[in-house]
Amino acid sequence: MTWPPLRPELAGIEPYGAPQLPADRAPVQLNVNENPYGPSAECVADIARAVAEVAPTLNRYPDREFVALREALAAYLSRDGFRGSQARTSTTEISAEMVWAANGSNEVMLQLLQAFGGPGRTAVSFAPTYSMYPEYARDTATTWVMGRREEDFAIDLDHARAVVAEHRPSVVLLPSPNNPTGTALPPGTVTALCEAVGDDGIVVVDEAYGEFRRAGVASALELLPAHRNLVVTRTMSKAFAGAGLRLGYLAAHPAICDAIRVVRLPYHLSAVTQAAALAALRHAPELLGKVDELRVERDRTVAWLRAQGLEAADSDANFVLFGRFDDRHAVWQGLLDRGVLIRETGPDGWLRVSVGTAEEMAAFQDALLHVMKEI
Ligand SMILES: *Cc1c(COP(=O)(O)O)cnc(C)c1O
């Protein structure tokens, strides 16, 4: 028996995490899909003021139901959540009862598995997919089943329906745009999976990168009125330039939000988080102001990589999966030696680069050209 007396299935497992290196070792940080643009001085002052306002009451617990924040998130989603959808078919108003939030959408995901997964139940995703999902399945003792995506990273409906029919999952996890490939799912795929799963489970469309979708690519928010088993998650970490804020949220049927309240920790959103997030939401136009620029830089990066004779996956996110390399680790290391930190993730031979500022992307391109000459 080893000590400490960990659950046997956790023994020897390394904690997950992308390498975090100090700026002097890697001045160009393009590895965790952050927004490279920080808040303005005005926004910083507003956040500081909001936190100062709640500080005198920090001896009290915060609003457990975070009503004001849910209302603000619902208003934001109703107003901006569909941005980019060409043919917005529904005029969905998202109400506060349809919104839930936690410390990052990763915590939202864990809560979903705590409430809807568990022993004797199964969660399904399609590889390549977000690397955290199997960990949440493990931590909640949910059986984990991985289907597959096609060569072009799309989901084949016959395959997906067969996986659902065989395993009867209570949770299906669909990142769209997908991490690490950047692929957005067409509404037909989400609809088909919602229908296949039915009332036996929920279908979670993880739209962490939703705001970066290319023009005309729909959001699964549009499908909410048609499917009570659909959950759409979002985050303030990526487009919203608030990774340090730790605020993720979802939109779903009010009964699903209600069910999560059973498993959430009491007062899981601190008064400081609620105040800071509310202040940041008041600055949504500014914080999201660089999204269009980042989308242009993303498309430029895809085109540039292809012009170098490399493969680059079409992307609806703020990163690009590219390759393929016989020794991707050597490429990753070569870039790091030149101060550019990207991510060694995705299928064999591929690497993922986050979209930064124009200067950062120029540094990435310059470094990659040098590395490709050497390998
Ligand atoms: C980055 C990311 C998230 C967001 O995580 P937070 O906990 O909100 O910071 C969620 N899903 C995917 C697929 C991601 O890549």
Side-chain angles (χ1 to χ4, degrees):
M1 184 73 176
T2 55
W3 196 91
L6 208 51
R7 285 163 53 189
E9 64 273 29
L10 303 183
I13 292 180
E14 288 293 317
Y16 167 89
Q20 273 190 322
L21 295 177
D24 58 340
R25 266 212 63 204
V28 182
Q29 307 244 347
L30 302 172
N31 64 329
V32 285
N33 304 337
E34 294 154 330
N35 190 321
Y37 299 100
S40 67
E42 199 189 331
C43 179
V44 170
D46 202 22
I47 291 172
R49 206 162 31 239
V51 172
E53 268 168 33
V54 297
T57 61
L58 285 180
N59 58 313
R60 302 291 179 190
Y61 282 111
D63 175 7
R64 192 169 48 208
E65 306 295 342
F66 49 102
V67 175
L69 180 55
R70 285 168 89 173
E71 280 169 357
L73 288 166
Y76 164 70
L77 276 184
S78 301
R79 193 179 64 239
D80 288 337
F82 300 81
R83 233 162 61 133
S85 295
Q86 207 160 50
R88 183 177 163 186
T89 45
S90 61
T91 47
T92 323
E93 276 294 313
I94 302 208
S95 62
E97 300 73 50
M98 295 171 67
V99 171
W100 179 258
N103 298 282
S105 54
N106 274 283
E107 186 176 65
V108 171
M109 216 68 71
L110 178 63
Q111 291 174 335
L112 285 168
L113 280 164
Q114 287 174 321
F116 297 98
R121 290 184 161 211
T122 299
V124 158
S125 192
F126 299 88
T129 186
Y130 188 39
S131 51
M132 290 309 298
Y133 300 153
E135 307 212 1
Y136 302 144
R138 178 199 68 203
D139 294 348
T140 56
T142 309
T143 302
W144 176 247
V145 170
M146 193 86 105
R148 57 168 163 73
R149 285 173 179 253
E150 301 305 294
E151 272 288 292
D152 63 353
F153 306 127
I155 293 180
D156 176 70
L157 271 188
D158 289 337
H159 167 69
R161 285 201 190 93
V163 170
V164 168
E166 183 182 348
H167 297 283
R168 305 305 316 162
S170 60
V171 182
V172 175
L173 295 162
L174 304 172
S176 173
N178 185 30
N179 182 3
T181 67
T183 322
L185 294 175
T189 303
V190 177
T191 297
L193 278 160
C194 286
E195 285 168 357
V197 169
D199 281 347
D200 295 346
I202 58 168
V203 174
V204 183
V205 180
D206 178 352
E207 291 194 348
Y209 303 96
E211 292 91 344
F212 293 107
R213 302 185 320 275
R214 287 173 293 178
V217 176
S219 163
L221 289 172
E222 292 180 30
L223 304 171
L224 279 174
H227 304 284
R228 68 177 179 183
N229 61 351
L230 175 63
V231 177
V232 182
T233 63
R234 292 277 182 106
T235 180
M236 292 179 80
S237 294
K238 308 290 164 55
F240 224 99
L245 195 55
R246 305 313 298 134
L247 204 287
Y249 54 104
L250 63 73
H253 192 285
I256 290 183
C257 297
D258 225 37
I260 298 172
R261 294 167 62 233
V262 178
V263 298
R264 60 111 174 86
L265 295 172
Y267 316 107
H268 68 293
L269 279 181
S270 81
V272 171
T273 298
Q274 293 185 40
L278 273 166
L281 279 163
R282 286 195 290 273
H283 291 268
E286 176 208 309
L287 291 170
L288 293 164
K290 299 290 187 181
V291 164
D292 286 343
E293 212 171 297
L294 290 165
R295 290 157 86 223
V296 168
E297 202 61 53
R298 181 245 350 253
D299 294 340
R300 258 194 221 132
T301 303
V302 170
W304 181 84
L305 287 162
R306 288 177 181 164
Q308 310 314 308
L310 292 165
E311 285 177 82
D314 284 332
S315 176
D316 280 290
N318 66 336
F319 55 81
V320 179
L321 190 73
F322 68 101
R324 303 176 202 184
F325 302 104
D326 291 335
D327 185 355
R328 72 169 171 182
H329 182 73
V331 177
W332 179 85
Q333 185 65 53
L335 290 171
L336 182 56
D337 293 344
R338 289 175 171 77
V340 179
L341 178 62
I342 66 165
R343 192 75 193 277
E344 195 176 349
T345 186
D348 266 359
W350 295 83
L351 293 166
R352 190 193 72 193
V353 62
S354 309
V355 176
T357 63
E359 296 73 43
E360 288 171 325
M361 298 323 282
F364 160 72
Q365 294 177 7
D366 190 50
L368 184 59
L369 285 177
H370 279 98
V371 171
M372 287 197 333
K373 266 184 224 137
E374 285 166 10
I375 58 165

